[in-house]
Coordinates of all heavy atoms in Angstrom, one line a residue:
K108 N 0.8 -1.2 0.0 CA 0.0 0.0 0.0 C 0.9 1.3 0.0 O 1.7 1.4 0.8 CB -0.9 0.0 1.2 CG -2.0 1.0 1.2 CD -3.1 0.7 0.2 CE -4.3 1.6 0.2 NZ -5.3 1.1 1.2
N109 N 0.6 2.1 -1.0 CA 1.3 3.4 -1.2 C 2.8 3.2 -1.6 O 3.5 4.2 -1.7 CB 1.2 4.3 0.1 CG -0.2 4.7 0.4 OD1 -1.0 4.9 -0.5 ND2 -0.5 4.7 1.7
G110 N 3.2 2.0 -1.9 CA 4.5 1.8 -2.4 C 4.5 2.0 -3.9 O 3.5 2.2 -4.5
A111 N 5.7 2.0 -4.5 CA 5.9 2.3 -6.0 C 6.3 1.1 -6.8 O 7.2 0.4 -6.4 CB 6.9 3.4 -6.1
F112 N 5.6 1.0 -7.9 CA 6.0 0.0 -8.9 C 6.7 0.8 -10.1 O 6.2 1.9 -10.5 CB 4.8 -0.8 -9.5 CG 4.2 -1.8 -8.5 CD1 3.1 -1.5 -7.8 CD2 4.8 -3.1 -8.4 CE1 2.6 -2.4 -6.9 CE2 4.3 -4.0 -7.6 CZ 3.2 -3.7 -6.8
V113 N 7.8 0.3 -10.6 CA 8.5 0.9 -11.7 C 8.7 -0.1 -12.8 O 9.1 -1.3 -12.5 CB 9.9 1.4 -11.2 CG1 10.7 2.0 -12.4 CG2 9.7 2.5 -10.1
C114 N 8.4 0.3 -14.0 CA 8.6 -0.6 -15.2 C 9.9 -0.2 -15.9 O 10.0 0.9 -16.4 CB 7.4 -0.4 -16.1 SG 6.8 -1.8 -16.9
F115 N 10.8 -1.2 -15.9 CA 12.1 -0.9 -16.6 C 12.0 -1.6 -18.0 O 11.9 -2.8 -18.2 CB 13.2 -1.5 -15.9 CG 13.6 -0.8 -14.6 CD1 13.2 -1.2 -13.4 CD2 14.3 0.4 -14.7 CE1 13.5 -0.5 -12.2 CE2 14.6 1.2 -13.6 CZ 14.2 0.7 -12.3
H116 N 12.1 -0.7 -19.0 CA 11.9 -1.2 -20.4 C 13.1 -1.9 -20.9 O 13.0 -2.7 -21.9 CB 11.6 0.1 -21.3 CG 11.1 -0.2 -22.6 ND1 11.4 0.5 -23.8 CD2 10.1 -1.1 -23.0 CE1 10.7 0.0 -24.8 NE2 9.9 -0.9 -24.3
G117 N 14.3 -1.7 -20.4 CA 15.5 -2.4 -20.7 C 16.5 -1.6 -21.5 O 16.1 -0.7 -22.2
S118 N 17.7 -2.0 -21.4 CA 18.9 -1.2 -22.0 C 19.3 -1.7 -23.4 O 18.9 -2.9 -23.8 CB 20.1 -1.3 -21.1 OG 20.6 -2.7 -21.0
W119 N 20.0 -0.9 -24.0 CA 20.6 -1.3 -25.3 C 22.1 -1.0 -25.4 O 22.8 -1.4 -26.3 CB 19.9 -0.6 -26.5 CG 20.0 1.0 -26.4 CD1 19.1 1.8 -25.7 CD2 21.0 1.8 -26.9 NE1 19.5 3.1 -25.8 CE2 20.7 3.1 -26.5 CE3 22.2 1.6 -27.6 CZ2 21.5 4.2 -26.9 CZ3 23.0 2.7 -28.0 CH2 22.6 4.0 -27.6
N120 N 22.6 -0.2 -24.4 CA 24.0 0.3 -24.5 C 24.8 0.1 -23.2 O 25.4 1.1 -22.7 CB 23.9 1.8 -24.8 CG 23.1 2.6 -23.9 OD1 22.3 2.1 -23.1 ND2 23.2 3.9 -23.9
R121 N 24.8 -1.1 -22.7 CA 25.6 -1.4 -21.5 C 26.8 -2.2 -21.8 O 27.5 -2.7 -20.9 CB 24.7 -2.1 -20.5 CG 23.8 -1.2 -19.7 CD 22.9 -1.9 -18.8 NE 23.6 -2.7 -17.8 CZ 24.2 -2.2 -16.7 NH1 24.0 -1.0 -16.4 NH2 24.8 -3.0 -15.9
A122 N 27.2 -2.4 -23.1 CA 28.4 -3.1 -23.4 C 29.6 -2.4 -22.8 O 29.6 -1.2 -22.8 CB 28.5 -3.2 -25.0
P123 N 30.6 -3.1 -22.4 CA 30.8 -4.6 -22.5 C 30.1 -5.4 -21.4 O 30.3 -6.6 -21.3 CB 32.3 -4.7 -22.3 CG 32.7 -3.7 -21.4 CD 31.8 -2.5 -21.7
L124 N 29.3 -4.8 -20.5 CA 28.6 -5.5 -19.5 C 27.3 -6.0 -20.1 O 26.9 -5.7 -21.2 CB 28.3 -4.6 -18.3 CG 29.4 -3.9 -17.7 CD1 29.0 -3.0 -16.5 CD2 30.5 -4.9 -17.3
K125 N 26.6 -6.9 -19.4 CA 25.3 -7.4 -19.8 C 24.3 -6.3 -19.9 O 24.3 -5.4 -19.0 CB 24.9 -8.6 -18.9 CG 25.8 -9.8 -19.0 CD 25.3 -10.9 -18.0 CE 26.2 -12.1 -18.1 NZ 25.7 -13.2 -17.1
Q126 N 23.4 -6.5 -20.8 CA 22.2 -5.5 -20.8 C 21.4 -5.7 -19.5 O 21.5 -6.8 -18.8 CB 21.4 -5.8 -22.0 CG 22.1 -5.6 -23.3 CD 22.7 -4.2 -23.5 OE1 22.3 -3.2 -22.9 NE2 23.8 -4.1 -24.3
G127 N 20.6 -4.8 -19.2 CA 19.8 -4.8 -17.9 C 18.5 -4.2 -18.0 O 18.2 -3.5 -19.0
G128 N 17.7 -4.4 -17.0 CA 16.3 -3.9 -17.0 C 15.4 -5.0 -17.3 O 15.5 -6.1 -16.9
Y129 N 14.3 -4.7 -18.1 CA 13.4 -5.7 -18.6 C 12.7 -6.4 -17.4 O 12.4 -7.6 -17.4 CB 14.1 -6.8 -19.4 CG 14.8 -6.2 -20.6 CD1 16.2 -5.9 -20.5 CD2 14.2 -6.0 -21.8 CE1 16.9 -5.4 -21.6 CE2 14.9 -5.5 -22.9 CZ 16.2 -5.1 -22.8 OH 16.9 -4.6 -23.8
F130 N 12.3 -5.6 -16.4 CA 11.5 -6.2 -15.3 C 10.7 -5.1 -14.6 O 10.9 -3.9 -14.9 CB 12.5 -6.9 -14.3 CG 13.3 -6.0 -13.4 CD1 13.0 -5.7 -12.1 CD2 14.5 -5.4 -14.0 CE1 13.8 -4.9 -11.3 CE2 15.3 -4.6 -13.2 CZ 14.9 -4.3 -11.9
V131 N 9.8 -5.5 -13.7 CA 9.1 -4.6 -12.9 C 9.6 -4.7 -11.5 O 9.7 -5.7 -10.9 CB 7.6 -4.9 -13.0 CG1 6.8 -4.0 -12.0 CG2 7.0 -4.8 -14.4
A132 N 9.9 -3.5 -10.9 CA 10.4 -3.4 -9.5 C 9.3 -2.9 -8.6 O 8.4 -2.2 -9.0 CB 11.6 -2.5 -9.5
F133 N 9.4 -3.3 -7.3 CA 8.6 -2.7 -6.3 C 9.5 -2.0 -5.3 O 10.5 -2.6 -4.9 CB 7.7 -3.7 -5.6 CG 7.0 -3.2 -4.4 CD1 5.9 -2.3 -4.6 CD2 7.4 -3.5 -3.1 CE1 5.3 -1.7 -3.4 CE2 6.8 -2.9 -2.0 CZ 5.7 -2.0 -2.2
I134 N 9.1 -0.8 -4.8 CA 9.8 -0.1 -3.8 C 8.9 0.3 -2.7 O 7.9 1.1 -2.9 CB 10.4 1.2 -4.5 CG1 11.3 0.8 -5.7 CG2 11.2 2.0 -3.4 CD1 11.4 2.0 -6.7
P135 N 9.1 -0.2 -1.5 CA 8.3 0.2 -0.3 C 8.6 1.7 0.0 O 9.7 2.2 -0.1 CB 8.8 -0.7 0.8 CG 10.2 -1.1 0.4 CD 10.2 -1.1 -1.1
F136 N 7.5 2.4 0.4 CA 7.6 3.8 0.8 C 7.2 4.0 2.2 O 6.3 3.3 2.7 CB 6.7 4.6 -0.1 CG 7.5 5.3 -1.3 CD1 8.1 4.5 -2.2 CD2 7.5 6.6 -1.4 CE1 8.8 5.0 -3.3 CE2 8.2 7.2 -2.5 CZ 8.9 6.4 -3.4
G137 N 7.8 5.0 2.9 CA 7.5 5.4 4.2 C 6.5 6.6 4.2 O 6.2 7.1 3.1

């Protein structure tokens, strides 16, 4: 309740590391 959901669409430019994102996060709020 009253926490935040964030939609990460995903990266294209994190080379030479792995790409990242592509998930939905939840963040509890005070």
Side-chain angles (χ1 to χ4, degrees):
K108 192 70 172 272
N109 297 322
F112 287 97
V113 176
C114 217
F115 288 103
H116 198 219
S118 68
W119 60 270
N120 56 345
R121 284 177 55 85
L124 306 183
K125 293 178 181 180
Q126 300 301 336
Y129 304 92
F130 71 102
V131 176
F133 172 73
I134 303 156
F136 262 62

